Structures are given as structure tokens and as C-alpha cells.
Amino acid sequence: MNLLTILLSFGFVIIALFLSAAFKLGLGRDLLITSVRATIQLMIIGYILKMVFGFKNPLVMIVMIGLMILVASSNAAKRGRGLPHIFWKVYLTILIVEAITQGFLLLLHIVPATPQYIISISGMIIGNSMVIASLFLNRLKGELDMRKDEVLLVLSLGGSQKQSIYPILKQSIRSSLIPTIDSQKTIGLVQLPGMMTGQIIAGADPIQAVRLQLLIVFLIMTAATITSIILGFLIYPGLFNREQQLDIQGWE
């Protein structure tokens, strides 16, 4: 694709803007800002990746992955604003997930230890973990709002913090994983994943593209599960004060 093709593709945005105006949806500003931001961000990251791939320096690659985790954690932590040390809990969660998944891939030599593979796969893992963390925090807040009395009852009957909060954590974890599980159920039937489609368009063997996509599917499901579980068990002690009383006033 050349620059002219990219400019012509902006016609899709114009169609969306027209429909928003015609039906008075009030989304014109958001659509325009999103399109401009996506263009700028992707162009910048394209040039950055080109430089990183050229350096072939592990330190540069590690720094870039660290920045990706930092940005993802900052974005996901907004959903848990008011919780103590929420940013660092999300950051630690995503860092652990990245270390586990990439460590598994590299130690077993499933993918080559090159920046092209490591950074690309890390982007998918970190991005997915960010979304799962956001969904989990949002669901946890909703569950606590609805079932606060249930937690207080268990505590008043002598139950531990873990006993009182576990049903809510369990439901929040399950709910945060539903979108990922549902999307993977229809993969290949309803949708063709972006990475596989890109490889096929680039001329890769479809079977080889499918094999690599299966790797990503399994990675994403595992990363999603680990993310929600680790984050849940890092967060729940902070929901109680020193007297083992539920304290979520700062989050309400």
C-alpha cells in the first residue's frame, strides 16, 4: 500500500462521519480523533520498530517491551482508580504474564529469539492482558456494588477476607474471560484473525499461517486466564483495612 492508497482508505472514516451526522449520534468528534490518533500512533510505531529491528540489540528490545507494559498498565489502572497501588499491581500482573508466556516460547524454541517475533507477540500478549485487566476491574467494581452486603455478612459471621470475597472474585474472573473465550469459539468460522490474514495477503502458505495463528490463540487464552487470576489475588487484600473490614470507599 502506498500513501495514496492510505489516503483513499480514509474514505471509510468519512462514511462513518456522514452516518454519525445523519443519525445525530454525536460520534463525529470521537471518530475523527480516533482516526487521527490511530494514524499518528501506527506511523510512529512503524518507524520505531524499523529502528529496533535494525539495532538487533536485546537491551533496546527489552526497553521497548517495558514501555509497552508501562502504557498498558497505566491505561488499565484507570478502571481501578481509588484502589491502593493499583497501577503497580496491574504492572506486576502484566509483567508476570509476559515473562511466563515469552519464557515458555523461548525456552522451548517455539519461536525464534528475534525482535520481529518477540516484540510482535509481546504486543498481542500485553494488549490482551490490558483489556482483560480493564474488564476484570470494571466487573469487580460492579460486583462489589451489588454484593457488598453479602461480603459484610460473611465477615460478620467470622469468615475470612478470602472467604467473603472469593465468590465475587470468581464471578469477576469468569466475566472478564467471556469475551476472549467467545471470540476464540468462532475463529475460522465467523472471523479470520488479523495476523493470519496479513500473512496470507503477504503470500505466506495458509497452513503455516494457521499454525502460527493457533499458537497465538492458545497464548492469548492462557495469558487472559493468568492475568485475571493474578490481578484478582493481588487486589483483594487491598479491599480490606487493618481491622479486616471491607473498605472500598475510595473506589466507589
Side-chain angles (χ1 to χ4, degrees), residues 25-249:
L25 301 178
L27 297 174
R29 184 173 179 271
D30 290 335
L31 287 170
L32 192 59
I33 291 175
T34 300
S35 301
V36 173
R37 281 189 59 177
T39 301
I40 294 173
Q41 290 168 186
L42 286 174
M43 292 299 292
I44 291 173
I45 197 63
Y47 285 109
I48 291 175
L49 286 175
K50 188 174 182 179
M51 287 190 294
V52 171
F53 293 164
F55 283 132
K56 295 182 180 180
N57 188 326
L59 182 60
V60 176
M61 182 176 61
I62 292 172
V63 169
M64 184 168 182
I65 293 174
L67 289 174
M68 291 163 65
I69 297 175
L70 194 68
V71 173
S73 303
S74 177
N75 187 66
K78 293 176 183 177
R79 296 287 183 178
R81 189 178 288 111
L83 284 175
H85 312 296
I86 184 60
F87 170 79
W88 294 111
K89 290 175 181 178
V90 175
Y91 183 89
L92 180 60
T93 298
I94 298 178
L95 182 63
I96 291 172
V97 172
E98 167 70 6
I100 291 173
T101 51
Q102 283 291 357
F104 184 84
L105 291 175
L106 297 176
L107 287 175
L108 296 182
H109 304 287
I110 296 175
V111 297
T114 61
Q116 286 90 335
Y117 276 90
I118 294 175
I119 293 177
S120 298
I121 293 176
S122 292
M124 286 183 275
I125 294 170
I126 294 168
N128 180 72
S129 294
M130 176 189 71
V131 172
I132 294 297
S134 297
L135 290 172
F136 172 80
L137 290 170
N138 194 58
R139 183 65 183 190
L140 180 62
K141 183 177 181 180
E143 288 290 321
L144 281 172
D145 287 340
M146 292 188 297
R147 302 169 66 179
K148 181 179 177 180
D149 292 340
E150 179 183 325
V151 176
L152 295 176
L153 177 62
V154 174
L155 290 173
S156 68
L157 294 174
S160 65
Q161 295 177 3
K162 186 175 180 180
Q163 288 173 326
S164 67
I165 203 70
Y166 182 75
I168 291 177
L169 284 179
K170 182 180 177 180
Q171 184 58 45
S172 300
I173 291 171
R174 286 173 58 88
S175 298
S176 67
L177 294 175
I178 287 174
T180 299
I181 295 172
D182 284 349
S183 65
Q184 307 302 3
K185 284 180 181 177
T186 58
I187 199 168
L189 296 175
V190 177
Q191 59 170 330
L192 291 180
M195 189 187 74
M196 189 180 85
T197 303
Q199 285 188 304
I200 293 173
I201 291 174
D205 178 13
I207 301 301
Q208 186 63 30
V210 167
R211 290 173 181 171
L212 187 55
Q213 185 61 55
L214 281 174
L215 168 65
I216 300 303
V217 168
F218 300 150
L219 268 181
I220 285 178
M221 285 195 293
T222 302
T225 306
I226 297 174
T227 297
S228 55
I229 291 174
I230 292 178
L231 187 57
F233 281 93
L234 284 177
I235 284 176
Y236 93 81
L239 300 174
F240 302 89
N241 58 27
R242 294 181 179 179
E243 287 73 35
Q244 296 191 3
Q245 298 171 326
L246 185 65
D247 184 12
I248 58 173
Q249 293 181 358

Side-chain angles (χ1 to χ4, degrees), residues 15-30:
I15 294 173
L17 290 171
F18 172 78
L19 292 173
S20 176
F23 289 94
K24 299 179 181 180
L25 301 178
L27 297 174
R29 184 173 179 271
D30 290 335

